[in-house]
Tab-separated table of all heavy atoms in Angstrom:
chain	number	residue	atom	x	y	z
A	359	SER	N	7.747	-0.117	-3.492
A	359	SER	CA	7.598	-1.539	-3.635
A	359	SER	C	6.164	-1.889	-4.061
A	359	SER	O	5.932	-2.745	-4.929
A	359	SER	CB	7.951	-2.282	-2.341
A	359	SER	OG	7.664	-3.624	-2.438
A	360	ALA	N	5.159	-1.239	-3.468
A	360	ALA	CA	3.769	-1.480	-3.840
A	360	ALA	C	3.524	-1.033	-5.272
A	360	ALA	O	2.773	-1.646	-5.975
A	360	ALA	CB	2.856	-0.761	-2.878
A	361	ILE	N	4.165	0.042	-5.710
A	361	ILE	CA	3.984	0.519	-7.074
A	361	ILE	C	4.593	-0.467	-8.055
A	361	ILE	O	4.014	-0.757	-9.104
A	361	ILE	CB	4.625	1.931	-7.245
A	361	ILE	CG1	3.813	2.934	-6.511
A	361	ILE	CG2	4.770	2.303	-8.699
A	361	ILE	CD1	4.488	4.308	-6.408
A	362	SER	N	5.716	-1.059	-7.694
A	362	SER	CA	6.306	-2.060	-8.602
A	362	SER	C	5.425	-3.308	-8.658
A	362	SER	O	5.324	-3.912	-9.736
A	362	SER	CB	7.734	-2.395	-8.157
A	362	SER	OG	7.730	-3.193	-7.017
A	363	ASN	N	4.783	-3.653	-7.563
A	363	ASN	CA	3.824	-4.792	-7.568
A	363	ASN	C	2.673	-4.484	-8.486
A	363	ASN	O	2.198	-5.315	-9.239
A	363	ASN	CB	3.342	-5.095	-6.183
A	363	ASN	CG	4.422	-5.682	-5.300
A	363	ASN	OD1	5.446	-6.175	-5.766
A	363	ASN	ND2	4.232	-5.598	-4.020
A	364	TRP	N	2.193	-3.235	-8.490
A	364	TRP	CA	1.110	-2.793	-9.366
A	364	TRP	C	1.542	-2.885	-10.812
A	364	TRP	O	0.784	-3.352	-11.682
A	364	TRP	CB	0.664	-1.379	-9.008
A	364	TRP	CG	-0.391	-0.875	-9.849
A	364	TRP	CD1	-1.749	-1.017	-9.678
A	364	TRP	CD2	-0.267	-0.114	-11.051
A	364	TRP	NE1	-2.431	-0.404	-10.670
A	364	TRP	CE2	-1.576	0.165	-11.558
A	364	TRP	CE3	0.807	0.385	-11.779
A	364	TRP	CZ2	-1.754	0.890	-12.723
A	364	TRP	CZ3	0.623	1.098	-12.937
A	364	TRP	CH2	-0.685	1.334	-13.385
A	365	GLN	N	2.765	-2.454	-11.112
A	365	GLN	CA	3.268	-2.474	-12.476
A	365	GLN	C	3.440	-3.890	-13.035
A	365	GLN	O	3.300	-4.099	-14.205
A	365	GLN	CB	4.565	-1.654	-12.555
A	365	GLN	CG	4.352	-0.218	-12.437
A	365	GLN	CD	5.656	0.568	-12.393
A	365	GLN	OE1	6.719	-0.021	-12.077
A	365	GLN	NE2	5.612	1.856	-12.623
A	366	LEU	N	3.755	-4.841	-12.142
A	366	LEU	CA	3.852	-6.230	-12.589
A	366	LEU	C	2.534	-6.778	-13.049
A	366	LEU	O	2.475	-7.538	-14.053
A	366	LEU	CB	4.439	-7.105	-11.481
A	366	LEU	CG	5.917	-6.981	-11.220
A	366	LEU	CD1	6.299	-7.811	-9.977
A	366	LEU	CD2	6.727	-7.439	-12.391
A	367	LYS	N	1.463	-6.421	-12.386
A	367	LYS	CA	0.121	-6.924	-12.772
A	367	LYS	C	-0.514	-6.117	-13.863
A	367	LYS	O	-1.381	-6.603	-14.582
A	367	LYS	CB	-0.767	-6.942	-11.527
A	367	LYS	CG	-0.418	-7.968	-10.519
A	367	LYS	CD	-1.438	-8.037	-9.413
A	367	LYS	CE	-1.087	-9.094	-8.405
A	367	LYS	NZ	-2.057	-9.158	-7.318
A	368	ASN	N	-0.121	-4.846	-14.046
A	368	ASN	CA	-0.685	-3.998	-15.061
A	368	ASN	C	0.357	-3.535	-16.058
A	368	ASN	O	0.754	-2.349	-16.055
A	368	ASN	CB	-1.352	-2.787	-14.399
A	368	ASN	CG	-2.454	-3.162	-13.526
A	368	ASN	OD1	-3.369	-3.879	-13.880
A	368	ASN	ND2	-2.381	-2.733	-12.271
A	369	GLU	N	0.807	-4.442	-16.890
A	369	GLU	CA	1.844	-4.091	-17.885
A	369	GLU	C	1.232	-3.222	-18.984
A	369	GLU	O	0.115	-3.453	-19.426
A	369	GLU	CB	2.439	-5.323	-18.440
A	369	GLU	CG	3.236	-6.151	-17.436
A	369	GLU	CD	3.844	-7.378	-18.044
A	369	GLU	OE1	3.881	-7.493	-19.272
A	369	GLU	OE2	4.278	-8.245	-17.266
A	370	GLY	N	1.966	-2.212	-19.390
A	370	GLY	CA	1.524	-1.352	-20.444
A	370	GLY	C	0.710	-0.146	-20.004
A	370	GLY	O	0.354	0.662	-20.806
A	371	VAL	N	0.385	-0.082	-18.726
A	371	VAL	CA	-0.379	1.045	-18.170
A	371	VAL	C	0.561	1.907	-17.370
A	371	VAL	O	1.325	1.435	-16.533
A	371	VAL	CB	-1.560	0.523	-17.308
A	371	VAL	CG1	-2.350	1.691	-16.760
A	371	VAL	CG2	-2.433	-0.409	-18.089
A	372	ARG	N	0.478	3.214	-17.569
A	372	ARG	CA	1.339	4.148	-16.798
A	372	ARG	C	0.692	4.494	-15.492
A	372	ARG	O	-0.533	4.629	-15.397
A	372	ARG	CB	1.576	5.413	-17.614
A	372	ARG	CG	2.373	5.183	-18.849
A	372	ARG	CD	2.649	6.448	-19.613
A	372	ARG	NE	3.236	7.422	-18.754
A	372	ARG	CZ	3.134	8.734	-18.927
A	372	ARG	NH1	2.469	9.201	-19.965
A	372	ARG	NH2	3.704	9.575	-18.119
A	373	ILE	N	1.481	4.599	-14.455
A	373	ILE	CA	0.969	4.914	-13.128
A	373	ILE	C	0.401	6.327	-13.081
A	373	ILE	O	-0.547	6.601	-12.345
A	373	ILE	CB	2.077	4.693	-12.046
A	373	ILE	CG1	1.506	4.771	-10.633
A	373	ILE	CG2	3.143	5.737	-12.165
A	373	ILE	CD1	0.904	3.538	-10.158
A	374	GLU	N	0.919	7.205	-13.916
A	374	GLU	CA	0.427	8.611	-13.951
A	374	GLU	C	-0.961	8.666	-14.533
A	374	GLU	O	-1.774	9.518	-14.132
A	374	GLU	CB	1.366	9.500	-14.726
A	374	GLU	CG	2.723	9.669	-14.119
A	374	GLU	CD	3.729	8.561	-14.494
A	374	GLU	OE1	3.430	7.800	-15.445
A	374	GLU	OE2	4.727	8.447	-13.850
Side-chain angles (χ1 to χ4, degrees):
S359 175
I361 290 170
S362 73
N363 291 341
W364 179 86
Q365 288 173 341
L366 284 174
K367 290 187 179 180
N368 297 307
E369 293 180 14
V371 180
R372 293 181 54 205
I373 190 82
E374 294 86 14

